[in-house]
Amino acid sequence: MIDRLLGRAELKERIEELEEEKRHLERRAEAEEERRSDAVADRQRAEERVNELEHRIESLEERLERAEGTEETVEFRRVSDRSGSRLTDALERFRAVESDDPEGLLTAYVPDADAVPATVSDWLGDRTALVRRAAPAVVLADDTGAVSAALTPPVEPEPFDRWSDRFRLDDAWFRPTGRFAFAVVRSDTFAVGTYEGDERVAFEGFTTDVKEAHSKGGFSQGRFERRREGQIDDHLDRADEALAAVAAGEDLDRVIVVGERSVLGRVRDRADVTNVSDATGKPKGALDDAFRDFWRVRIRAI
């Protein structure tokens, strides 16, 4: 009675309504957090799955190509990886080939399987299938059939094809030349070196303490993932600033950046060349591993 007279009953009812509405909104918020957390985890799993599927697709495409038409019996005569002095030796051997005919040697850069120029397919015939499998590649052939190879260049040139009296093999496509910056970027590691040829003359690197993936769900996971993404964003901002400083302060021929596929987009504008690398470890060790892997050339005898 007193509550009704003083208007407290109405207030209590209103409080109960608001508390119920609050509980409802909290349930909605928690559900939304769970959806966000699930989305982050799903994205991470999706990226891993994409990488796995890319490798499987490549393998299956090669099997399919071998199973269709003439490709059943067409295989590379030899496949080898060359770097350092062994690569220099291989390139010099190809460069030593000369033709008295001004159009006796064919060189072509094939960027992908769907971009084989007619000069290559007309000359190689059924072995063109091997070029598609090797792409991107610099293709070499001579009009006697003595030389026929595909080289995978670390630095891809613009597509071209030409017959000449010598093969076109620019050092800058295959070997570290001039003065340039080379960097490796991961979500928790960054390293950049300034090089003169294959000699590193400057180095900068750092790591960031980025928390591992979280899978508990609910508000806890949502807060964890936001904090983790913030740490990665800060790390990549710092990496971008370091790259900008190197590019601005050095007279460089080019900037090459390798690293995790998921983070390369954040620094792509700073680079002339980018590529995926799985190099890990401390900054200097990761840089050395990535540098060595990047300048490895695969040579396929067609």
Side-chain angles (χ1 to χ4, degrees), residues 50-62:
V50 166
N51 292 333
E52 177 186 345
L53 289 176
E54 284 180 348
H55 291 303
R56 289 184 61 187
I57 289 170
E58 182 179 352
S59 175
L60 290 173
E61 285 177 342
E62 289 185 0

Side-chain angles (χ1 to χ4, degrees), residues 188-202:
D188 60 353
T189 305
F190 172 79
V192 60
T194 301
Y195 293 80
E196 292 180 358
D198 57 6
E199 180 183 359
R200 187 172 64 223
V201 296

Side-chain angles (χ1 to χ4, degrees), residues 184 186 188-190 206-207 278-287 289:
V184 58
R186 298 184 62 82
D188 60 353
T189 305
F190 172 79
F206 54 82
T207 59
D278 59 2
T280 58
K282 295 182 178 180
K284 189 167 288 187
L287 185 66
D289 289 345

Side-chain angles (χ1 to χ4, degrees), residues 56-285:
R56 289 184 61 187
I57 289 170
E58 182 179 352
S59 175
L60 290 173
E61 285 177 342
E62 289 185 0
R63 288 175 59 188
L64 178 61
E65 288 175 354
R66 290 195 295 269
E68 291 180 342
T70 59
E71 295 186 25
E72 289 184 23
T73 58
V74 178
E75 293 291 343
F76 295 113
R77 292 182 287 114
R78 181 180 175 83
V79 179
S80 62
D81 290 333
R82 297 292 182 98
S83 60
S85 60
R86 295 180 68 243
L87 173 61
T88 300
D89 177 63
L91 293 175
E92 290 306 316
R93 292 189 193 189
F94 286 124
R95 291 184 180 124
V97 178
E98 298 183 30
S99 172
D100 292 335
D101 185 341
E103 295 187 350
L105 302 179
L106 171 65
T107 313
Y109 176 63
V110 182
D112 59 65
D114 297 323
V116 180
T119 50
V120 173
S121 57
D122 289 349
W123 180 251
L124 293 178
D126 60 2
R127 289 183 295 161
T128 303
L130 299 177
V131 173
R132 295 192 183 96
R133 286 164 55 186
V138 175
V139 177
L140 310 176
D142 79 315
D143 60 1
T144 69
V147 178
S148 185
L151 289 69
T152 304
V155 178
E156 300 181 14
E158 292 296 320
F160 73 92
D161 61 291
R162 70 169 195 179
W163 286 95
S164 181
D165 60 348
R166 291 175 180 269
F167 291 126
R168 180 185 173 188
L169 292 167
D170 293 4
D171 246 7
W173 302 344
F174 300 100
R175 301 179 60 252
T177 60
R179 187 176 178 86
F180 65 96
F182 184 93
V184 58
V185 183
R186 298 184 62 82
S187 57
D188 60 353
T189 305
F190 172 79
V192 60
T194 301
Y195 293 80
E196 292 180 358
D198 57 6
E199 180 183 359
R200 187 172 64 223
V201 296
F203 170 81
E204 178 182 355
F206 54 82
T207 59
T208 300
D209 185 16
V210 175
K211 294 187 176 296
E212 297 296 331
H214 189 291
S215 60
K216 290 184 178 179
F219 283 116
S220 175
Q221 182 178 352
R223 287 193 298 268
F224 182 94
E225 292 296 345
R226 287 194 296 273
R227 183 177 179 186
R228 182 174 186 274
E229 290 184 355
Q231 290 171 335
I232 293 174
D233 286 341
D234 291 344
H235 173 79
L236 295 177
D237 286 343
R238 187 179 172 193
D240 185 65
E241 291 172 2
L243 279 173
V246 169
E250 302 278 357
D251 183 17
L252 302 175
D253 296 326
R254 54 191 170 182
V255 176
I256 301 170
V257 181
V258 303
E260 290 179 73
R261 185 189 305 274
S262 60
V263 303
L264 280 177
R266 288 286 297 272
V267 295
R268 196 178 300 277
D269 291 343
R270 304 292 183 189
D272 300 300
V273 179
T274 61
N275 206 343
V276 176
S277 172
D278 59 2
T280 58
K282 295 182 178 180
K284 189 167 288 187

